[in-house]
Amino acid sequence: MLCEKCQADIAKEETFQHGGQTLCEDCYVEALSRPQPCDPGAVSAARAARELQGHTGIDGLTPTQKKIYNYLKEKGKVPREELVKYMQMTPEELQGQFAVLRHCELAKGCKIGNKIYFTLM
Ligand SMILES: [Zn+2]
């Protein structure tokens, strides 16, 4: 099958679902580590809302998001599967929570070898 972003030919077991698209691993990691095309607004809106409330760092995050943040802070780089297990969430749920951290420019995804890791910015 084809990656919907770069049109690379990929095996089905090497595909990743992100934002309703089927992506190859490279595009998936890029999507994780970089705001979506529509996101600059979301990033600056999130930042503006936080500044308005006097929130910096992890202030204003939900307990779940703080838990993710603190785990990454303690561990440094965490493989995606490990964080999914630690948070006892589905990868999709984790993705939703992680998107907020990314929007707030607190954490990001990265790829080392063949594995996807989450780490703080
Ligand atoms: Zn791709």
Side-chain angles (χ1 to χ4, degrees):
M1 53 194 301
L2 296 178
C3 168
E4 288 181 40
K5 203 167 168 197
C6 70
Q7 308 300 316
D9 199 3
I10 35 176
K12 194 174 191 315
E13 59 272 17
E14 285 167 12
T15 62
F16 292 84
Q17 295 298 322
H18 182 78
Q21 286 188 306
T22 302
L23 302 176
C24 69
E25 192 174 11
D26 284 344
C27 290
Y28 179 68
V29 171
E30 195 182 302
L32 282 187
S33 59
R34 163 191 307 202
Q36 302 292 294
C38 62
D39 273 7
V43 170
S44 54
R47 204 190 290 140
R50 283 154 53 78
E51 278 171 12
L52 206 64
Q53 296 165 45
H55 288 160
T56 54
I58 63 170
D59 288 351
L61 297 179
T62 67
T64 301
Q65 290 151 9
K66 279 184 183 165
K67 194 174 170 189
I68 295 172
Y69 181 90
N70 286 331
Y71 192 66
L72 294 180
K73 195 174 175 186
E74 187 189 320
K75 295 278 184 172
K77 287 186 175 64
V78 179
R80 186 170 51 134
E81 303 77 34
E82 183 182 326
L83 194 57
V84 165
K85 212 179 283 173
Y86 173 72
M87 294 304 294
Q88 299 184 314
M89 288 176 162
T90 66
E92 289 72 28
E93 283 168 343
L94 178 68
Q95 194 60 46
Q97 296 295 327
F98 192 79
V100 177
L101 293 176
R102 210 176 35 157
H103 280 170
C104 297
E105 299 179 326
L106 292 171
K108 61 180 176 160
C110 62
K111 187 178 158 189
I112 300 168
N114 286 321
K115 271 190 145 180
I116 293 170
Y117 289 79
F118 292 133
T119 185
L120 297 183
M121 288 265 196

